[in-house]
Amino acid sequence: MAGRSSNATSTRDRLLLAAGQLLHEAQGGPVSTRAICERAGVQAPTLYHHFGSKQGLLDAVVNYGFTQYVQAPEPGGDPVDRIRAGWDRHVGYGLENPQFYVLLYGQIEPGVPCNLTSSAEAMLLELFTPLARDGRLRVEAAEAARQFAAANSGVTLSLIAEPEERRDLAMSAQVREAVLAGLLTERPAEGSSVGALAVALSTALEDDVDELTTTERHLLREWLHRLSN
């Protein structure tokens, strides 16, 4: 059994390596299933067995590449500074690896959630949640993560599309700060608006609250959601 498992892993790795090499060589052009299989020394059914489809394989290649910048936030430090640093890592990765980046964000199917963008939003959620608890968010943490991730990918794709000599990285920082300004309140909870305080209380309700029933928590969250909008 161990031998079979090792062989399966080796075959999967060969497919990942072949796809990665061909994507790099294609410089943004198409890569065929036949070319990947020939490079890996396997038949097409083997690719489908391991990845389901060519797109499944390409997604796995991109997923491997994105682990270089999508990392769990380290504890400590100002969450806002870490959010800024994450934006800059995201843009930097896209510019350094445009083929991988466009493969992910340029070929998203309508109505089909992207696992990798979901991972990035989950990381951002960890950073926005303490800000929400402190009354520093105008919207709920999940919505802040969604908006921030969308703006981040949009700026990155825009910069990739520009000729290298015309890329304006200052634009990236300006959009980043504009997005943060729209999401963050100027002062902590004691000086926050009713909406920010509603977000803070709604976030606190995510922890167990023994004094309220499940129905009461749902109802209170609905009211707080209205107040935060």
Side-chain angles (χ1 to χ4, degrees):
M1 293 294 292
R4 290 184 180 180
S5 177
S6 176
N7 184 61
T9 301
S10 176
T11 300
R12 190 176 189 279
D13 289 345
R14 289 207 312 274
L15 283 163
L16 285 168
L17 178 61
Q21 291 172 339
L22 289 168
L23 282 169
H24 178 71
E25 294 167 8
Q27 295 295 307
V31 175
S32 70
T33 300
R34 179 178 179 181
I36 294 171
C37 291
E38 288 180 352
R39 177 72 64 92
V42 302
Q43 300 297 317
T46 302
L47 183 154
Y48 300 136
H49 170 73
H50 286 286
F51 299 99
S53 64
K54 184 182 80 169
Q55 189 59 47
L57 170 59
L58 297 181
D59 288 346
V61 173
V62 176
N63 187 25
Y64 174 79
F66 265 51
T67 57
Q68 297 181 49
Y69 90 90
V70 179
Q71 300 174 355
E74 296 181 0
D78 181 13
V80 178
D81 288 340
R82 291 155 66 198
I83 289 168
R84 287 190 176 101
W87 174 292
D88 293 341
R89 283 200 310 274
H90 186 122
V91 171
Y93 180 87
L95 295 180
E96 292 171 7
N97 305 273
Q99 287 82 25
F100 280 125
Y101 196 91
V102 172
L103 175 65
L104 172 64
Y105 285 97
Q107 300 186 35
I108 292 177
E109 298 180 31
V112 179
C114 173
N115 291 332
L116 296 177
T117 52
S118 297
S119 297
E121 287 182 23
M123 299 299 179
L124 284 167
L125 181 59
E126 290 187 37
L127 295 172
F128 277 115
T129 297
L131 295 173
R133 285 198 180 98
D134 290 342
R136 297 174 64 187
L137 280 187
R138 302 178 190 275
V139 299
E140 295 178 356
E143 177 62 17
R146 187 187 70 81
Q147 292 185 22
F148 196 81
N152 203 175
S153 59
V155 165
T156 306
L157 286 169
S158 177
L159 288 171
I160 289 173
E162 287 288 333
E164 190 170 353
E165 65 276 7
R166 291 173 50 191
R167 284 177 186 161
D168 181 12
L169 293 180
M171 180 270 287
S172 173
Q174 290 167 357
V175 174
R176 181 195 67 204
E177 294 307 306
V179 174
L180 284 174
L183 296 174
L184 299 173
T185 59
E186 294 183 0
R187 289 176 291 178
E190 59 268 16
S192 296
S193 65
V194 170
L197 292 172
V199 169
L201 182 53
S202 178
T203 304
L205 285 174
E206 293 176 7
D207 301 325
D208 290 335
V209 180
D210 296 332
E211 292 80 3
L212 298 176
T213 66
T214 300
T215 300
E216 288 170 339
R217 284 198 297 271
H218 286 322
L219 184 58
L220 181 54
R221 282 198 185 95
E222 181 179 347
W223 291 340
L224 291 171
H225 179 71
R226 292 181 186 178
L227 287 171
S228 67
N229 294 327

